[in-house]
Structures are given as structure tokens and as C-alpha cells.
Amino acid sequence: MSSEQLLLKAKSLLTVKYPYFGMLASRLKHEPSDSVSGYASNGKRFIYNSDFLERRSVEEVMFILTNAVMHHVLSHQQRKLNRRGRLWQLATDYAINNLLAKNGLAIPQGANYNKEFEGMYAEEIYDALKEEYFGEGGDAFSESGDAAPQEAGMSQEADDSQGFANIDGISDEMDSQDESQWQYAASIAQEVAQRKGAMPLGLERLGKKVKPSDVDWRFELYNAVNRHMRNNYAFMPPNKKHIHRGIALPSLTSDTLSLCVAIDTSGSIDDALLGAFMEEFKTIMQNFPSVKIELIIADAKVHAHHTFQGGEKMDFRLKGGGGTDYRPTFDYVEANLPMTTMLLYFTDGEGSFPRIPPNYEVLWALSRKAKVPFGRGLVIFD
């Protein structure tokens, strides 16, 4: 059977036996390539070596496709945070393969599978692997986090059995549009699978997420932003919509809003919540592309300050893990961002507050109910 026939048959069987996985696998466009020794997927294309694939059984191809799409669907990259890259990829692979085994898919020899990790989040598996390979300090990784345990079998030059542990071939970085498309596809696949009574077992543990609460906090935030914005016309930069016609119409900008966002990275904020905070910050950037946003990373002290506007790529590490003291953040804003008109603080509300409120508006985006001495508190997550 040719590689193309194998892929089509594997997708067809997945759709029949596992509707959720099958619908997602159908999104991948596949193409042969001699540039890979096994296979690779970036969320759009599934590239494969024809010789490698033709030595596979249909069951093995079903595993390969399902493993690849689950990495994309679960947005594990968004939950990576400051974990070391290769070990995090390995942890997510163990989590996914335990899910696939739980649902009856055959796990090929050589795949990253350990029944001891059954029912564990990728975050929990990561901690266990870090302790196992590197001890309590975890210092065997390089600072870039690109090293990996030799035992994991990452080389594409290894034998066929180790090709099933090919985490290097699954892209851990997608743009926001691709991520949102996978999330939408997953929601449709879930509806279909639920109607057929065929939802995968254990998916709720694998996709650990912090869900937004019933409070429409974004509506409150946008109302607050709009209160500060007075539309002001300026000819620099020009509105690009009519540039091709030789007309430089003024752009709509605001010189009255300076939005500051602070993210609490203290020890009381777990990794899932940090990831959720970052996702909400990305949403804010996308919804206010013309507004310059100052981002502050802090726990009991300010660790970093970044400036973003529009859809700029976020490339930085979250530092913290200590106690929570909000006073250094407010001191920093006063000293370095005197034009701030509003501060949005993502936190759990447990920390030391300034005695005197600032002269700008403060909106507390809280992960749970908490009393705040000034500003407005909104519980944004369950």
C-alpha cells in the first residue's frame, strides 16, 4: 500500500472509530518529502518520508496522525511558560500517548509511553521527568532549554521504532491564527463526537485549562478603556487603507490613554493560571491594536517591563515564584510610567497593597474572590 493510501485509510478509520480524532486529523494536508527521515507537522502540513511511512501499519499511521494533531489542539506551547523546551515537549508527548492508550489506540514500540503517567497533567509529568533525569536542581539542561535526555530517543536517524518518539517533528510554535483555528476545529469535533457518544476518555484532564467565569470582564475592561479614549486625528502614521489610491487620510489614534498591565508571577499563581493570564493579555493586544501597552512582570518585586503594540510577538520568560507585594509595582509605575491612566493587574488578590491609592484607575483581574482596598475587582476565572 502506498504512503498516500495509508494516510487516507488511517484518516478514514479514525473518523469511523474515533470521530473526534478523525475530524481533527482530516485537517492536516500531507505531502511527501525527502527532507525528513520520518515525519513532521507544523499544524498546517503533515510532511512525511514515503519510505518510512510505507513500512508502517495502518494502526501505526493512525497513532502518528492522532499524536500530531493532539499536540496542536491542546496548545501545549501556551502552557510551556518558562519550562525547558525539549523536556516539556517530552512531557506533553507522554500525556497525549497515555490518553491515546486509554482510548484503545495501539501505541507503537518506541513511542513515549509510560503507564505510570496515566491521568497526570503534562505539568505534573514535566516535574516528574525533571526530577528523574536531573535531580532536584534540574541543572543538566542548558540555559536555552534545548538539551534533552539521551534516553528519550529523539534522533531522526535512529531506527524506525524510535521514529514514534519524534517530538522534534511536531512544531511547538504556531501563530495565533493557527491556534485559534485548531481550537475552533476542536470545538466542532467535540460537538460531533458528543452527539455520537464517542468523546475521548480522559480529555478533560489532558486539556487542563482555566475557564473564564460568567463575569464578562472584557466588557468591563473595554468600557474602562473607552472612558479614557478621546479620538484624536493625526497624520502620522497615515491610514493605510487608502494609501494605494495616493490618499493619506489621518489615522485614528489616542494621546490620552496609557494602558499598563501587570501580571502576578508569585508562588501562589500556578502555571495553568499564569498561562491563562498570558492568553488574556494576548486578547487585549489583539483588541486594542492602536494602543501601546506596558507589561510588567512582578511578584514581590518587579522582574521585567516590556512594551507592546498591536500583534507584536511576545518573546520573553516569566520570572517570579516568590511572595506577593503589589507596592513595588505601583512604585515602578509612578517612577517610570508617569503618564499611566489605567492599570490592569492579573493576580489572585493575596498580597500587600499600597496604603495610598494611585491617581489612575486600577482594575484588578482576579483569579478568585478577594477584597481589594481600592480600584475595581473582577473575578475573571473559575
Side-chain angles (χ1 to χ4, degrees), residues 3-24:
S3 54
E4 189 69 16
Q5 289 174 323
L6 269 171
L7 284 164
L8 292 175
K9 185 171 183 179
K11 288 184 176 182
S12 177
L13 285 173
L14 280 172
T15 301
V16 173
K17 298 180 66 175
Y18 308 97
Y20 181 83
F21 299 141
M23 287 190 66
L24 295 172

Side-chain angles (χ1 to χ4, degrees), residues 48 112 224 255:
Y48 62 91
N112 295 314
D255 58 2

Side-chain angles (χ1 to χ4, degrees), residues 209-213 380-382:
K209 292 181 181 295
V210 180
K211 298 179 180 178
S213 70
I380 62 173
F381 299 120
D382 291 331

Side-chain angles (χ1 to χ4, degrees), residues 145-365:
D146 290 332
Q150 293 299 315
E151 294 88 344
M154 299 302 142
S155 174
Q156 285 192 339
E157 302 301 322
D159 59 35
D160 280 355
S161 67
Q162 294 201 348
F164 297 112
N166 178 34
I167 57 172
D168 285 340
I170 308 299
S171 174
D172 65 352
E173 195 168 322
M174 292 188 292
D175 60 36
S176 57
Q177 183 177 1
D178 286 338
E179 288 173 7
S180 63
Q181 288 176 349
W182 274 104
Q183 293 300 319
Y184 177 73
S187 66
I188 298 300
Q190 181 173 335
E191 289 180 12
V192 172
Q194 285 175 337
R195 286 200 299 267
K196 295 183 177 182
M199 270 298 290
L201 300 173
L203 189 62
E204 71 284 350
R205 282 197 64 82
L206 189 61
K208 181 181 180 184
K209 292 181 181 295
V210 180
K211 298 179 180 178
S213 70
D214 292 334
V215 175
D216 192 353
W217 73 274
R218 291 189 184 91
F219 178 77
E220 298 292 339
L221 170 64
Y222 300 162
N223 271 348
V225 170
N226 287 331
R227 284 198 302 272
H228 290 278
M229 290 193 73
R230 290 199 303 268
N231 293 336
N232 185 34
Y233 287 99
F235 278 89
M236 292 298 290
N239 187 319
K240 296 179 181 180
K241 183 176 181 180
H242 300 283
I243 285 291
H244 70 283
R245 298 168 55 193
I247 303 173
L249 294 179
S251 293
L252 192 62
T253 63
S254 172
D255 58 2
T256 64
L257 173 64
S258 180
L259 177 60
C260 184
V261 176
I263 293 182
D264 177 5
T265 58
S266 64
S268 61
I269 307 295
D270 64 24
D271 289 337
L273 193 54
L274 269 181
F277 283 168
M278 290 304 300
E279 286 302 300
E280 297 302 340
F281 175 68
K282 287 171 61 178
T283 299
I284 293 169
M285 286 209 330
Q286 292 167 359
N287 281 280
F288 297 107
S290 64
V291 176
K292 185 169 69 173
I293 302 174
E294 309 292 344
L295 175 65
I296 295 175
I297 307 299
D299 50 17
K301 64 179 181 180
V302 173
H303 291 283
H305 170 206
H306 306 277
T307 301
F308 296 99
Q309 185 163 357
E312 291 180 353
K313 183 177 180 180
M314 293 186 293
D315 186 15
F316 58 87
R317 299 184 68 178
L318 293 175
K319 299 179 180 179
T324 308
D325 190 338
Y326 303 117
R327 293 171 295 186
T329 298
F330 284 89
D331 290 343
Y332 183 90
V333 171
E334 182 178 356
N336 299 278
L337 301 168
M339 302 303 292
T340 295
T341 51
M342 184 169 64
L343 170 65
L344 173 65
Y345 214 128
F346 287 96
T347 181
D348 59 4
E350 298 293 329
S352 301
F353 294 85
R355 185 173 59 86
I356 302 174
N359 57 5
Y360 47 81
E361 184 171 1
V362 179
L363 194 62
W364 301 91

